[in-house]
Amino acid sequence: MPSNVWVLTLAQAFAMSATPMMMLLGGLIGVELAPSPVLATLPIASMVIGVALSVIPVSRAMRRFGRKPIFIFGAFLGACSGLVAACATHFHWFILFCFSGFMLGAAGAIVQQYRFAAMESVDAIDGAKAASRVLVGGLVAAFVGPELAVLGSELITTPYVGAFLFLTLVCLLAAVTLSFYQEADGLVVSSDPTTQGDGRGMGLILAQPMLWVAIGAATLGYAMMSFVMTATPLHMHHMEHHSLADTKWVIQSHIIAMYFPSLFSGYLTAKYGPSKMMLAGLLAYGVTIAIALMGRELLNYWLALVLLGIGWNFLFVAGTVLLPQYYCSQERFKVQSFNDSFVFGAQAMASLSAGWVLHALGWEVMLLSCIPLIAVLLCLMAWGRMSLPKAVKRGV
């Protein structure tokens, strides 16, 4: 792998450490600061909304200024969000704390472009390995983020303030790492002699059913993962009275399970094809629901969240690898931004609704409501497969 891939992997390890910190603490601080328990997950939802609303501006900025300056700007924005969160926690300002989540989400929208930048730094045949290699940085973040959240919470008299100062530190380290990134020209992965300038219009691009399969896999993967993960700390700690240490262990194990498969999921996707990886991800999601419904013991939460993480990885990597097969180099920014708008818009709605569904309808109903989402992706995959020529179907 070229140096760019390793730089982006290390930057991912630093920058992504901020996300599990907010995921672990956002709901817990929200319960203390929010005027209503229903709004407890609003800080986390604000972070995801920040991602969703920033995707298109980020893509346009990268197209104009290049990836490197925007990558570094995103790292500094994440550092500022940590300072704002520390201030909001210290002074018990719920709205300001939600705004810090929004800032972190905007920075996260830039981090999400790392995987595409990695794929553009290698030959098309190595795209799956490059994308999954960058996601390995999240494995480091899975260890570092929650540990810094718990350690920082005890360093300063006001609970949790120190955790967000650590968040600022890891984002600054990401900025330093990204200074070594070198701009790479995008590789044409889908040759079309009729494309000029911006390439084809979005109508023609979106007329490809398999493009929607790629978008659907990443969208479902993020939406269901975020929906269940956002509600789990609240249900475990505040409703079932599991300890904060046990809750941290479950969330930490979940995040490890999200990124650990990246060590081999790129290889598996290249060998077996994105469709088989999507089916494996959906199977993991189905078993997640079953185990979570079977009981409320610590082991149930742990197994369910680990399988949820594995399912997310398979779906997200498969969708990411499949997407570039249906656009050319000139079209990459607009298609990537369209894809991520769907993905993180759905994640925002899932995070925003998780607290309400949990309090209003209960844990069991919340889990069962995920089943129709699995069915939707299966229908999309069937539609996409029917649209392919027979000679192509075996390799998808």
Side-chain angles (χ1 to χ4, degrees):
M1 288 292 162
S3 61
N4 266 358
V5 175
W6 295 111
V7 167
L8 292 167
T9 301
L10 183 57
Q12 175 104 343
F14 288 129
M16 283 298 293
S17 295
T19 301
M21 294 172 72
M22 179 61 80
M23 285 293 184
L24 177 62
L25 300 179
L28 303 180
I29 296 173
V31 167
E32 298 178 5
L33 302 184
S36 168
V38 175
L39 299 175
T41 59
L42 186 58
I44 298 176
S46 297
M47 179 178 66
V48 184
I49 291 170
V51 176
L53 294 182
S54 302
V55 164
I56 293 177
V58 163
S59 179
R60 290 178 177 175
M62 286 186 178
R63 182 172 183 174
R64 181 174 181 180
F65 301 108
R67 292 201 185 273
K68 182 173 182 176
I70 305 303
F71 282 165
I72 294 175
F73 169 78
F76 279 112
L77 182 61
C80 291
S81 74
L83 296 177
V84 173
C87 180
T89 304
H90 179 75
F91 292 106
H92 301 278
W93 293 340
F94 180 65
I95 298 299
L96 186 63
F97 186 64
C98 291
F99 180 68
S100 72
F102 183 87
M103 292 175 64
L104 186 59
I110 298 173
V111 174
Q112 292 299 329
Q113 292 292 315
Y114 290 3
R115 70 192 196 276
F116 292 123
M119 293 174 71
E120 291 163 6
S121 300
V122 299
D123 294 334
I125 194 172
D126 293 322
K129 295 178 182 178
S132 61
R133 188 66 52 84
V134 169
L135 291 179
V136 170
L139 181 61
V140 178
F143 287 99
V144 174
E147 291 298 335
L148 290 180
V150 174
L151 176 63
S153 298
E154 301 170 353
L155 286 180
I156 298 177
T157 304
T158 305
Y160 307 122
V161 170
F164 294 112
L165 296 180
F166 276 135
L167 188 155
T168 296
L169 175 62
V170 294
C171 288
L172 290 176
L173 290 174
V176 173
T177 303
L178 289 165
S179 66
F180 295 96
Y181 173 80
Q182 296 179 349
E183 294 283 358
D185 293 332
L187 182 69
V188 176
V189 295
S190 177
S191 178
D192 184 350
T194 66
T195 58
Q196 294 181 356
D198 292 341
R200 297 166 295 173
M202 284 301 294
L204 286 175
I205 297 172
L206 297 179
Q208 304 170 100
M210 286 303 297
L211 182 78
W212 286 104
V213 175
I215 294 172
T219 299
L220 168 68
Y222 252 106
M224 183 170 161
M225 181 275 295
S226 183
F227 189 57
V228 176
M229 183 178 70
T230 300
T232 296
L234 288 176
H235 192 255
M236 278 191 68
H237 189 57
H238 284 280
M239 295 182 175
E240 295 300 315
H241 307 293
H242 289 277
S243 68
L244 179 60
D246 286 344
T247 304
K248 182 208 76 169
W249 181 57
V250 168
I251 296 300
Q252 191 173 32
S253 299
H254 163 71
I255 299 172
I256 292 170
M258 286 174 64
Y259 293 105
F260 181 78
S262 297
L263 295 171
F264 51 82
S265 57
Y267 167 78
L268 293 177
T269 303
K271 182 175 182 179
Y272 296 108
S275 291
K276 289 185 173 63
M277 293 297 289
M278 290 177 194
L279 290 174
L282 290 177
L283 177 62
Y285 271 10
V287 178
T288 293
I289 296 171
I291 292 176
L293 288 171
M294 288 171 61
R296 301 184 180 183
E297 301 299 322
L298 177 61
L299 185 60
N300 291 90
Y301 288 110
W302 185 83
L303 284 174
L305 268 291
V306 166
L307 285 169
L308 185 72
I310 294 172
W312 171 86
N313 185 278
F314 287 179
L315 287 166
F316 189 60
V317 170
T320 298
V321 171
L322 185 62
L323 188 72
Q325 297 179 24
Y326 297 93
Y327 65 78
C328 65
S329 178
Q330 303 98 309
E331 301 161 352
R332 67 187 188 275
F333 285 115
K334 61 184 179 184
V335 177
Q336 290 167 8
S337 63
F338 184 86
N339 173 77
D340 283 2
S341 294
F342 257 86
V343 172
F344 299 110
Q347 187 191 13
M349 289 188 288
S351 297
L352 190 59
S353 62
W356 180 86
V357 173
L358 180 62
H359 283 93
L361 302 177
W363 179 247
E364 289 79 8
V365 173
M366 190 199 78
L367 292 169
L368 291 172
S369 67
C370 297
I371 295 177
L373 298 176
I374 297 175
V376 167
L377 181 56
L378 286 172
C379 291
L380 268 178
M381 292 175 66
W383 175 50
R385 188 169 180 81
M386 287 189 295
S387 71
L388 292 175
K390 292 182 179 180
V392 179
K393 289 181 180 179
R394 292 183 180 181
V396 175

